[in-house]
Amino acid sequence: MAQKKESASDPESKSSAPRSNHEPAAKTKAAAKSVERVTAVEMGARQREISVSEFFTKNRHLLGFDNPRKALLTCVKEAVDNALDACEEAGILPDVTVKLEVASNGEPVAPSQASRFRVTVTDNGPGIVRQQIPRIFAKLLYGSKFHRLRMSRGQQGIGISAAGMYGQLTTGKPVKIISRIGPKAAAHFFEVQIDTKKNEPLVHENKQIDWEQPRGTQVTLEVEGKYQKGRASVDEWLEQTSIANPHVRLIYHTPEKETKEYPRTYHELPPQPREIKPHPYGIEFGMLLKMLQDTKSHSVSGLLATDFCRVSPQMADEICKAAKVSPDAKPRELKGPVAETLYKTLQETKIMAPPTNCISPIGEKAILSGLYKQIKGEFYTAVSRPPAVYRGNPFIIEAGLAYGNRPGDHNKPQQPAMPKAEGEHEEEDSELARVIRYANRVPLLYQQSACSTFKAVLSTSWKNYGLTQSRGALPGGPMVIFVHMASVWVPFTSESKEAIADYDEIQKEITLALRECGRRLGLFIRRRERAASEFRRRNIFELYIEEVVDACNRLKGGTLPKEKLKAQLQKIAATRTGGQKTDQALGKTSTGPEGLPHSIIVTAEGVEGETELATRVEADQATAAPMAESDLLDSTRSVDGPALKGESTKGTGVKTSPKRTTTKSEQIALVAGRPGAKKKSDGKSLKPMKAPGPRKPK
Amino acid sequence: MTTKTKKTTVVEKKLISLADIVIHAADRSKDPMFQIPIRALSNVFFNEKKGLIEMGSKKQERSFFNVGMAKRFMQTVLVADALSELQRADLTTSLREIYYRTKHTIKDSHENTFDAQDESDPVIEDLEVSLATLREELHVSAENRGSIVGPVVFGDDGDRVDCSKLGKGGYSVPSIVEPEYLEIRRCTADFVLLVEKGTQWNRLSEDKFWRRYNCILLTGNGQPPRGVRRLACRLHEEHRLPVYVLVDNDPWGYYIYSVVKQGSINLAFESQRMAIPKAKFVGLSSADPERYELPRNVGIKLNEKDIARAKELLNYQWFQKPAWQVEIKRMLASGLKYELDALANKDFQYLTKKYLPRKLKEKDWLD
Ligand SMILES: Nc1ncnc2c1ncn2[C@@H]1O[C@H](COP(=O)(O)OP(=O)(O)OP(=O)(O)O)[C@@H](O)[C@H]1O
Ligand SMILES: [Mg+2]
């Protein structure tokens, strides 16, 4: 730490100021009286207000800045969350660009070695009015979302200013903001820092500038950080963000100077969530006391009817009667046991659940499109539960699954059938499913095992749905499990918003959603197994016929009309394995995944289910901009042509799908490799999902 | 190497008939099917008059267009092909080599025709029984696992083998001992002593027991292989030599004796050529520990498997003689089994000098 402070080049850095102000004083006092008892007076002299900013300076882990790698992610996350919140609230389809650059003074450093980064997030949102900019970015607990009950990514009004403060603390650099509220308005440039003692903004720079964007906001933070790909990385977070937010177009410039684009595949904004009043079940006694003091109503029944949701004037009167309070009583005069009775009565009265238009689920279609876009699989399904309530807060649980290896993917390495030695068996897949968790559309990457969603996944009996699962473990198999909780107030286990707390109601909803997904997956797996076993049956005969004919021919001294015998046996085989019927079981003649709503099935022949959705995703991806050259090199999965001999299917984690999401190049390769659309009997156009062929130059 | 002009053997004709079954069925759009006699306790019976285990007439059908049997069917044809190749080339080979010869990966798949030898061995036995052909006739040999010493002279590939002049190691019994392969030129012995264990055979051979009692010492190191059983049978039939069997006192020992005497369940159809219904059980009997004063501490406690096996033996038709019921029940009652080696507790040469001489003198054996 000390070393870093010295190296901070900005002489005006305020980061060390608050420390040097109070630390020596505290030390001298403590040293002088170290052995003596402290009197109340002396203690009193030391008692003073702690500013929030000071508190968080010392407790930055509470906000997700515990280590450089996580801190870098948190900065990106806070800025992107805000960008998306703002766009959606303003009714704008979000275009967000994230740029990570190594910030070195002098010599260039490799991204993996660098310890300082510049994070720039640009959105096409509504912009921020000039006067608000300093406080938004340099005052903790300042925001527009805390005081209302409405679903949004941000809740507390800490996010972006904490990120700014973290940057200020670790690099001494101010936060730079450009914002513009419309094409006719000027773009304002700001450089701000926090006075950590007063929790007030210090403005370093404020001017009008030329900006190419007609509207939007750009935030630049310079922070200490560490860039490392893989689990819980910035890359993973953005990728998962794109899955749950298919209505967002996201461009990511990595520190390695690659550009990844996550195209918009869903062209509707999520419905605007409405703001709601608190529900009587959602408040605690203290809160009621406060409401009694603060209300504008002149009567208790008036307060009940206007300050809460779902309480009609008539019901308000009934509640008053039941609580033995005069409906006309002055709220401010209600105290002690009377207020307590009122509170109890409120909790005991049967009141309709809160309205749920305050939350906007992602929706089954959008989840499908997100999963289908980013994860290669054979089967996709999504479930949005009806709204439910915990502690008076409405919420919606959504779950999804992406399962299997896309046909093209596992056919490839199978080609060079290696003869097996005695005792050798087909390698078994020991891969476990992966859980991706979201709260209000924001991916949660840390504290998985503390999260209610994860616990629900573990406690679901996946064995019932044809998967393997050891006790208390994730199910086995190539699968991604998607769980989303949308709520006006997501109950996180801590301020850093990493895990969803365990409420029975929440747990129950997640379980129900997962079960429905599992049920559909089970149907799919069973259907596929049935087809596979028929296929195997016919295959067995096909395989052995060749052997039997050859052996018979040798027994007969090589004089046998081989082809005739083979044809005869094959004919018998076909009639014995049910001929036409088998074709049906194999899915060759069937139409759509019956009994599998909101699902996509990808087979070697094409896509079933929400075909339109799938084809649209592909069309979108096909028209997306070309990617940087380095991106192509990075893509290990799709662009290699015929399978390499002896190449192992394991080893590189990249290959096993649906583990990694596709990068831009893979998506294009996927489309380019398709030899043209096939028509299905029902007229729906189908695009066969063939193994990605060689990439065509664009 | 033989040439093509060689005439098709009977065995080869039988093997080719399998191909004909396939071809005929295919012509009639029928599922090709082989009839294979069942090789299990359920399909053997004890012919009391002959004193042999004989195979019944129950057959199982092995058809091609049945998912459960398709592979076995294919394997059967493959093995038949390999066996006919042996006939044409006039070669003899081992079970293991047949396995390797027929093993390959099926075209366009990961699947092997055979994954392990325990898949091809039973197919060979199936063919033996269904074609009523001895394994020797199929030119398939087992391991050479057996030794012989004593006053007998063989002709083996033109060589004269005098088993009384081969030191204490004796002659290693070939796996095929049919007259075409092994000629018994001269035999002056009075009886054959078939010993279960190589160690005891060594003891007797070293002590020149065979010279004193003018007998042939034979061992198969455990369950005697076909060559040893067949040789004992030939000596018994062609030279009228009584055969005495000396085994450990445990259910396994009884069973070895019964296989020598009546034949095995698995290959009951070969009993005719292998079994020696007049073979006698000299020991170790469950009565011996008392009679020969073997201390209890050289016994071994019967385990659960032993007890179950002994009870099974009690039910076999060929163990119904009262003396045998007594014999087995006595072992069960004592709860102990004894190895031949335990006799060494009294003296290293107890077997040669005391035990066998007394047994033979007292004619103390079971039939
Ligand atoms: N890119 C942006 N465009 C428009 N308004 C923004 C933008 N970023 C932030 N804001 C405004 O600034 C406020 C403060 O943001 P901040 O991230 O500090 O808190 P928050 O998002 O309300 O809650 P949380 O602490 O949970 O992130 C927001 O409530 C929003 O009104
Ligand atoms: Mg925020």
Side-chain angles (χ1 to χ4, degrees):
Chain A
M1 279 303 293
Q3 192 194 359
K4 294 217 171 82
K5 255 186 265 165
E6 278 157 26
S7 71
S9 54
D10 189 349
E12 286 187 344
S13 165
K14 295 281 182 294
S15 67
S16 51
R19 292 189 167 209
S20 43
N21 270 354
H22 71 265
E23 274 180 0
K27 257 184 210 151
T28 41
K29 252 192 181 174
K33 309 219 168 185
S34 58
V35 281
E36 288 161 42
R37 293 280 167 91
V38 181
T39 67
V41 181
E42 287 159 336
M43 262 164 93
R46 267 184 270 154
Q47 285 155 351
R48 58 200 160 92
E49 196 182 341
I50 304 155
S51 92
V52 216
S53 347
E54 278 180 308
F55 177 78
F56 280 119
T57 306
K58 289 192 172 171
N59 293 290
R60 46 163 132 145
H61 57 277
L62 293 177
L63 290 172
F65 299 97
D66 6 7
N67 60 62
R69 183 167 184 250
K70 190 167 166 188
L72 185 66
L73 169 64
T74 304
C75 291
V76 171
K77 174 175 134 59
E78 292 303 340
V80 172
D81 283 356
N82 284 352
L84 296 178
D85 272 349
C87 287
E88 284 165 16
E89 204 172 335
I92 301 163
L93 276 170
D95 276 339
V96 177
T97 305
V98 176
K99 186 173 192 175
L100 291 190
E101 295 164 285
V102 173
S104 68
N105 2 347
E107 261 138 76
V109 194
S112 58
Q113 303 303 315
S115 61
R116 228 193 232 208
F117 291 86
R118 196 159 31 252
V119 178
T120 307
V121 174
T122 316
D123 65 56
N124 63 340
I128 305 168
V129 290
R130 187 176 162 264
Q131 314 83 274
Q132 293 292 2
I133 293 177
R135 267 170 294 184
I136 283 177
F137 295 94
K139 183 174 170 67
L140 290 169
L141 295 174
Y142 190 88
S144 54
K145 306 167 199 167
F146 187 83
H147 298 280
R148 62 179 189 198
L149 278 176
R150 179 185 184 274
M151 172 185 158
S152 56
R153 294 173 178 77
Q155 286 181 342
Q156 295 146 328
I158 306 178
I160 196 64
S161 30
M165 196 168 79
Y166 170 77
Q168 173 178 333
L169 237 122
T170 53
T171 70
K173 298 278 175 156
V175 183
K176 297 191 181 101
I177 304 105
I178 303 173
S179 192
R180 187 173 184 180
I181 57 170
K184 293 204 186 97
H188 294 281
F189 174 82
F190 272 88
E191 275 189 28
V192 295
Q193 282 194 320
I194 301 188
D195 178 338
T196 46
K197 213 165 172 198
K198 296 201 202 108
N199 187 22
E200 284 299 333
L202 296 164
V203 177
H204 287 281
E205 180 80 73
N206 170 20
K207 60 186 178 197
Q208 291 190 8
I209 57 155
D210 283 336
W211 200 34
E212 65 278 11
Q213 277 193 216
R215 204 189 52 227
T217 304
Q218 179 174 84
V219 193
T220 305
L221 302 158
E222 195 164 320
V223 298
E224 183 187 301
K226 183 166 167 50
Y227 178 73
Q228 193 190 329
K229 291 187 192 175
R231 280 284 150 98
S233 61
V234 173
D235 298 51
E236 187 183 42
W237 188 83
L238 289 172
E239 202 177 275
Q240 291 192 11
T241 298
S242 140
I243 292 175
N245 299 273
H247 65 292
V248 176
R249 175 166 181 252
L250 187 64
I251 294 171
Y252 170 36
H253 302 282
T254 73
E256 283 150 352
K257 297 200 166 57
E258 296 167 20
T259 300
K260 290 185 187 172
E261 187 189 325
Y262 301 95
R264 176 165 20 250
T265 57
Y266 201 75
H267 299 263
E268 280 160 48
L269 266 172
Q272 278 278 358
R274 291 284 147 76
E275 214 177 311
I276 58 161
K277 289 177 198 144
H279 189 275
Y281 293 173
I283 59 160
E284 268 141 26
F285 181 51
M287 175 83 168
L288 178 67
L289 287 178
K290 191 169 178 297
M291 287 173 80
L292 286 167
Q293 294 308 306
D294 296 351
T295 183
K296 291 192 182 87
S297 300
H298 301 295
S299 67
V300 173
S301 74
L303 169 135
L304 294 178
T306 51
D307 291 6
F308 285 109
C309 68
R310 296 301 195 208
V311 181
S312 64
Q314 192 199 338
M315 186 189 267
D317 286 346
E318 279 167 22
I319 293 171
C320 289
K321 228 170 95 193
K324 300 195 169 65
V325 178
S326 160
D328 299 325
K330 297 236 166 349
R332 262 167 285 272
E333 280 161 21
L334 230 59
K335 296 218 170 76
V338 191
E340 216 171 318
T341 319
L342 179 64
Y343 178 75
K344 276 204 193 116
T345 315
L346 265 179
Q347 302 305 311
E348 283 156 12
T349 311
K350 207 165 155 34
I351 305 170
M352 212 178 142
T356 47
N357 53 3
C358 53
I359 27 181
S360 106
I362 303 172
E364 284 155 344
K365 280 211 161 75
I367 295 174
L368 274 181
S369 112
L371 287 172
Y372 184 76
K373 172 178 67 160
Q374 288 304 123
I375 296 165
K376 283 192 165 195
E378 287 165 86
F379 174 76
Y380 302 82
T381 194
V383 170
S384 283
R385 292 284 308 159
V389 177
Y390 81 92
R391 266 187 38 202
N393 294 312
F395 70 97
I396 289 179
I397 292 296
E398 299 181 284
L401 290 180
Y403 173 85
N405 302 302
R406 203 160 276 189
D409 290 354
H410 58 86
N411 279 350
K412 242 196 324 182
Q414 259 178 26
Q415 286 310 318
M418 282 274 274
K420 280 198 301 293
E422 202 171 307
E424 227 176 24
H425 297 288
E426 209 84 63
E427 255 186 64
E428 266 172 45
D429 235 338
S430 55
E431 185 183 356
L432 288 185
R434 190 162 66 110
V435 182
I436 55 179
R437 306 171 287 132
Y438 297 87
N440 287 350
R441 296 164 180 263
V442 180
L444 308 176
L445 300 190
Y446 284 90
Q447 302 248 4
Q448 171 166 271
S449 47
C451 191
S452 184
T453 58
F454 186 72
K455 292 178 191 166
V457 170
L458 293 190
S459 64
T460 301
S461 315
W462 296 94
K463 278 188 181 159
N464 296 347
Y465 312 123
L467 296 176
T468 57
Q469 183 180 26
S470 348
R471 268 174 68 93
L474 285 170
M479 177 160 76
V480 169
I481 302 168
F482 171 107
V483 186
H484 175 225
M485 172 172 182
S487 179
V488 289
W489 191 263
V490 177
F492 288 111
T493 56
S494 77
E495 290 81 351
S496 53
K497 304 191 272 189
E498 290 166 342
I500 299 171
D502 263 329
Y503 279 93
D504 287 349
E505 298 90 337
I506 299 176
Q507 188 87 17
K508 182 180 146 214
E509 281 297 312
I510 302 173
T511 306
L512 288 173
L514 289 173
R515 278 193 200 149
E516 175 58 18
C517 287
R519 194 188 63 81
R520 294 179 194 168
L521 174 67
L523 284 177
F524 166 76
I525 290 181
R526 235 169 295 139
R527 188 184 103 153
R528 207 185 51 170
E529 268 168 10
R530 201 171 52 233
S533 90
E534 282 302 320
F535 185 67
R536 230 174 305 149
R537 234 159 78 86
R538 186 178 286 183
N539 247 0
I540 280 177
F541 300 144
E542 293 271 320
L543 273 182
Y544 298 162
I545 283 174
E546 193 84 36
E547 292 289 334
V548 168
V549 168
D550 282 347
C552 285
N553 183 42
R554 285 192 300 268
L555 275 166
K556 298 293 281 181
T559 59
L560 203 68
K562 266 171 61 175
E563 288 310 312
K564 182 180 152 217
L565 181 60
K566 201 166 133 185
Q568 285 172 332
L569 291 174
Q570 274 166 347
K571 211 176 117 208
I572 304 175
T575 50
R576 296 257 161 180
T577 49
Q580 284 280 291
K581 262 196 227 147
T582 304
D583 285 342
Q584 231 161 46
L586 280 166
K588 281 181 181 160
T589 54
S590 65
T591 46
E594 323 88 61
L596 298 174
H598 305 293
S599 304
I600 297 178
I601 296 178
V602 183
T603 65
E605 277 74 38
V607 185
E608 285 175 49
E610 310 258 344
T611 346
E612 283 159 51
L613 200 69
T615 44
R616 197 166 69 197
V617 169
E618 279 139 39
D620 278 330
Q621 291 173 3
T623 53
M627 66 315 261
E629 192 55 38
S630 48
D631 203 13
L632 288 178
L633 297 174
D634 192 41
S635 151
T636 41
R637 177 166 49 185
S638 59
V639 285
D640 43 10
L644 305 171
K645 272 227 168 121
E647 181 195 49
S648 127
T649 31
K650 299 204 148 190
T652 66
V654 202
K655 259 216 156 141
T656 35
S657 53
K659 249 193 190 152
R660 288 279 139 244
T661 59
T662 54
T663 61
K664 194 66 219 105
S665 61
E666 292 172 314
Q667 292 157 8
I668 286 184
L670 196 93
V671 173
R674 220 163 284 159
K678 250 201 231 166
K679 286 274 177 207
K680 235 194 180 181
S681 49
D682 61 357
K684 272 188 202 164
S685 94
L686 275 186
K687 293 192 174 175
M689 303 291 290
K690 282 279 159 57
R695 181 179 48 86
K696 283 183 194 146
K698 274 243 145 188
Chain B
M1 275 309 244
T2 48
T3 54
K4 279 190 191 122
T5 51
K6 193 176 173 262
K7 265 180 72 190
T8 315
T9 64
V10 181
V11 174
E12 196 182 348
K13 276 188 191 135
K14 286 182 179 174
L15 291 166
I16 293 171
S17 75
L18 291 188
D20 291 325
I21 290 175
V22 176
I23 294 161
H24 284 135
D27 271 338
R28 285 167 193 74
S29 297
K30 289 259 159 58
D31 187 359
M33 192 179 293
F34 300 145
Q35 303 270 346
I36 294 165
I38 294 171
R39 295 179 285 110
L41 187 59
S42 64
N43 192 34
V44 296
F45 63 91
F46 181 56
N47 183 330
E48 259 178 273
K49 229 163 85 201
K50 292 194 202 154
L52 294 177
I53 296 177
E54 289 186 337
M55 188 143 70
S57 55
K58 282 189 214 151
K59 288 189 174 159
Q60 78 196 87
E61 288 178 343
R62 178 169 301 168
S63 80
F64 185 26
F65 292 108
N66 173 315
V67 184
M69 303 185 211
K71 187 161 192 180
R72 263 291 147 89
F73 186 96
M74 178 268 293
Q75 292 175 330
T76 311
V77 185
L78 285 185
V79 169
D81 172 36
L83 292 174
S84 92
E85 187 187 343
L86 284 179
Q87 294 290 321
R88 284 196 300 275
D90 199 14
L91 291 172
T92 296
T93 188
S94 63
L95 290 168
R96 190 138 188 88
E97 282 185 345
I98 294 275
Y99 160 63
Y100 281 126
R101 180 71 186 140
T102 50
K103 176 171 187 164
H104 58 260
T105 301
I106 299 168
K107 208 168 97 191
D108 294 333
S109 79
H110 291 287
E111 201 177 321
N112 288 327
T113 49
F114 294 90
D115 280 321
Q117 194 187 331
D118 60 16
E119 289 179 28
S120 62
D121 287 358
V123 171
I124 294 170
E125 289 179 352
D126 286 343
L127 285 173
E128 286 177 58
V129 291
S130 18
L131 303 179
T133 314
L134 291 176
R135 190 175 301 174
E136 291 72 20
E137 293 174 318
L138 290 174
H139 292 192
V140 179
S141 57
E143 273 175 83
N144 286 9
R145 188 159 46 88
S147 304
I148 186 168
V149 68
V152 57
V153 178
F154 296 122
D156 180 359
D157 266 355
D159 294 334
R160 192 188 129 93
V161 181
D162 185 344
C163 294
S164 60
K165 296 205 167 84
L166 292 173
K168 53 182 176 293
Y171 173 62
S172 162
V173 182
S175 81
I176 301 182
V177 295
E178 296 310 307
E180 312 90 276
Y181 295 88
L182 193 76
E183 181 194 345
I184 305 175
R185 291 196 184 158
R186 208 164 63 91
C187 177
T188 55
D190 293 331
F191 65 94
V192 175
L193 184 64
L194 180 54
V195 189
E196 176 183 351
K197 283 185 170 167
T199 45
Q200 259 57 51
W201 185 89
N202 285 342
R203 164 94 282 125
L204 295 168
S205 173
E206 201 178 293
D207 294 349
K208 299 286 184 245
F209 179 85
W210 58 272
R211 196 165 277 160
R212 268 189 69 192
Y213 289 86
N214 192 34
C215 66
I216 292 172
L217 292 176
L218 198 53
T219 183
N221 297 307
Q223 168 79 272
R226 299 160 65 100
V228 171
R229 281 173 60 201
R230 177 76 185 125
L231 186 58
C233 183
R234 279 187 67 196
L235 289 167
H236 171 72
E237 282 177 355
E238 293 166 29
H239 294 268
R240 318 240 144 250
L241 299 188
V243 174
Y244 301 99
V245 180
L246 183 64
V247 294
D248 284 345
N249 183 227
D250 57 20
W252 181 241
Y254 295 149
Y255 185 72
I256 287 176
Y257 161 73
S258 85
V259 167
V260 170
K261 190 178 172 80
Q262 287 104 3
S264 76
I265 296 168
N266 193 27
L267 294 175
F269 74 103
E270 289 187 334
S271 298
Q272 293 281 8
R273 321 225 344 167
M274 299 276 195
I276 309 161
K278 289 197 179 131
K280 304 280 188 284
F281 174 87
V282 278
L284 218 51
S285 156
S286 56
D288 291 344
E290 203 191 313
R291 212 171 291 164
Y292 293 85
E293 290 164 341
L294 290 176
R296 196 179 158 77
N297 61 19
V298 300
I300 302 170
K301 191 172 173 288
L302 289 173
N303 59 35
E304 270 171 47
K305 252 168 86 201
D306 292 328
I307 294 168
R309 187 85 183 100
K311 287 184 176 157
E312 231 171 81
L313 294 180
L314 279 175
N315 288 326
Y316 286 166
Q317 280 178 56
W318 47 95
F319 278 119
Q320 294 309 313
K321 289 177 193 156
W324 270 105
Q325 293 283 318
V326 172
E327 168 72 27
I328 298 170
K329 282 178 182 158
R330 189 166 41 217
M331 180 180 73
L332 281 169
S334 77
L336 294 177
K337 56 183 181 182
Y338 288 85
E339 293 185 290
L340 279 167
D341 317 57
L343 294 172
N345 177 259
K346 305 203 85 94
D347 187 305
F348 280 125
Q349 291 183 307
Y350 192 77
L351 175 70
T352 332
K353 300 241 166 97
K354 297 268 163 57
Y355 180 80
L356 278 175
R358 182 172 154 194
K359 277 265 168 185
L360 294 172
K361 202 174 110 208
E362 292 175 3
K363 294 195 189 334
D364 175 19
W365 50 63
L366 281 170
D367 182 26

